[in-house]
Amino acid sequence: MSVFTSVSIQQLQAWLHDYAIGELVELKGISSGITNTNYFVTTTQNKFVLTLFEHNELEELPYYIDLMSHLATHGIPCPQPIADKAGASLHMLNGKPAALISCLTGQDVEVPNAAQCRAVGAVLAKMHLAGQSFERQFPQHYQLGKGGHNQRGADWRIKTAAQVMPHLSIDDQQLLKDTLAFQATLDITQLPMGVTHADLFRDNVLFDGDEIGGLIDFYYACHDVLAYDLAITVNDWCVNADGSLDGPRLNAMLSAYQAVRPFNQAEHEAWHSMLRIAALRFWLSRLYDYIYPQMGELTHAKDPNHFQRILKLRATP
């Protein structure tokens, strides 16, 4: 969502030639986020979001495009991929795979309340149920680790830990080593799996008041442990500034989620472990982006210390 790859008005006009969406009016870079390049594209017919994928290969992307289409047809508020006149939703632009999707209404929230957390818990559970009938499989050579094809799964966490380890303090090195050792002993075989968003942070949910306008940025979606997906969400939506869990928001999200998709016994027993691994995943990604920044016009790295604090808290039962 930061701008790594520049696109000119003239380039986009040529690229949109095969789309029946009207004439281009405005092209505006989106500065939030840290992974892909995103622009708002306004035409004489509507407003869209253009995404250029900075790390994904073209053959990976039909999974995400088809998933958004599937979820939208099953009542989940998410973007609809826009196809050209030939029915294709993916093309190359400036050497990067690119897609155009519908632009949803609403705004993200900086400080969520309990009602908003309740709404997010319910819609995430509905998404998990809707994903059960999504049959497309990810390309086999991208299936990483024991958690399915999660591109930020266990194998990625081990590899990234080795890359950031030399740059950490002695205390942080020990925290990382202890958490990786814990991850190695974690048994997820009894935990329900399915389609997960895997990045449902506050900036990826749009609200109109306390009503959800849509879920966005499905480009970390994968087949993984469902409770882990909820733990990722909790670690962003239901925490205080120091990383501790906020009781009212946590209870609102968990109760709303389980009213739609109740946990089994194994999920109840593994819940704290899921919170811990979810914290590890985002501490590592933020560390990597901070240590090895990617250059771009509007790029910025998020503070890794926030998730270091969360991880230290989750490491204590």
Side-chain angles (χ1 to χ4, degrees):
M1 296 186 302
S2 294
V3 174
F4 304 110
T5 301
S6 297
V7 176
S8 70
I9 292 286
Q10 293 75 20
Q11 288 170 328
L12 186 60
Q13 285 173 329
W15 191 80
L16 292 174
H17 183 265
D18 294 328
Y19 285 82
I21 60 172
E23 299 298 319
L24 180 62
V25 174
E26 184 183 35
L27 174 66
K28 183 179 180 182
I30 302 175
S31 61
S32 61
I34 55 175
T35 302
N36 295 317
T37 291
N38 284 273
Y39 290 92
F40 286 125
V41 174
T42 304
T43 74
T44 51
Q45 291 187 10
N46 215 327
K47 188 175 182 179
F48 306 91
V49 173
L50 170 69
T51 297
L52 285 80
F53 299 93
E54 299 293 338
H55 303 288
N56 298 97
E57 298 180 30
L58 190 63
E59 60 264 36
E60 297 176 77
L61 297 172
Y63 176 90
Y64 306 113
I65 299 300
D66 292 351
L67 175 60
M68 285 188 285
S69 295
H70 173 87
L71 294 176
T73 59
H74 284 74
I76 305 302
C78 68
Q80 280 274 18
I82 308 301
D84 65 13
K85 297 170 187 175
S89 300
L90 287 165
H91 299 277
M92 300 298 292
L93 177 59
N94 280 6
K96 303 290 175 65
L100 199 67
I101 61 173
S102 61
C103 185
L104 303 178
T105 60
Q107 296 180 327
D108 59 351
V109 294
E110 182 66 27
V111 182
N113 58 39
Q116 291 163 338
C117 289
R118 188 175 300 110
V120 170
V123 77
L124 182 60
K126 292 173 184 176
M127 191 204 87
H128 286 165
L129 294 181
Q132 297 296 314
S133 56
F134 182 63
E135 296 179 353
R136 172 180 275 277
Q137 296 298 308
F138 212 65
Q140 184 64 37
H141 61 289
Y142 291 105
Q143 294 185 358
L144 306 178
K146 296 181 290 184
H149 66 255
N150 188 348
Q151 58 184 301
R152 295 292 172 94
D155 289 357
W156 175 89
R157 294 191 288 267
I158 293 169
K159 176 184 175 181
T160 305
Q163 292 173 305
V164 303
M165 188 76 76
H167 301 272
L168 303 182
S169 68
I170 297 299
D171 288 345
D172 280 353
Q173 286 186 9
Q174 192 60 52
L175 175 63
L176 184 50
K177 290 174 183 177
D178 290 346
T179 312
L180 290 174
F182 171 77
Q183 175 181 268
T185 66
L186 189 59
D187 181 8
I188 63 171
T189 57
Q190 300 305 309
L191 301 178
M193 299 181 70
V195 170
T196 60
H197 185 284
D199 192 27
L200 199 62
F201 275 41
R202 286 164 288 160
D203 57 357
N204 286 330
V205 181
L206 304 178
F207 271 93
D208 181 6
D210 291 340
E211 299 293 323
I212 289 181
L215 313 181
I216 62 173
D217 201 353
F218 279 80
Y219 303 117
Y220 285 106
C222 56
H223 189 84
D224 207 332
V225 174
L226 300 180
Y228 170 72
D229 202 20
L230 179 58
I232 288 172
T233 310
V234 162
N235 273 343
D236 185 62
W237 287 82
C238 306
V239 296
N240 300 308
D242 64 355
S244 61
L245 291 167
D246 177 82
R249 284 183 284 159
L250 175 65
N251 292 334
M253 183 172 288
L254 291 182
S255 61
Y257 181 92
Q258 294 193 59
V260 178
R261 193 194 76 82
F263 272 10
N264 66 17
Q265 185 60 36
E267 288 175 300
H268 283 293
E269 294 172 359
W271 174 241
H272 192 84
S273 299
M274 293 297 98
L275 288 170
R276 186 174 179 182
I277 296 301
L280 171 64
R281 177 262 186 264
F282 285 94
W283 185 39
L284 285 173
S285 62
R286 291 191 177 188
L287 278 171
Y288 185 89
D289 291 336
Y290 182 80
I291 295 167
Y292 305 103
Q294 184 175 355
M295 300 308 295
E297 290 184 2
L298 299 172
T299 59
H300 65 279
K302 296 183 178 179
D303 180 16
N305 291 323
H306 175 66
F307 270 98
Q308 184 257 22
R309 292 190 292 270
I310 291 177
L311 180 58
K312 287 179 70 174
L313 289 168
R314 304 299 181 268
T316 305

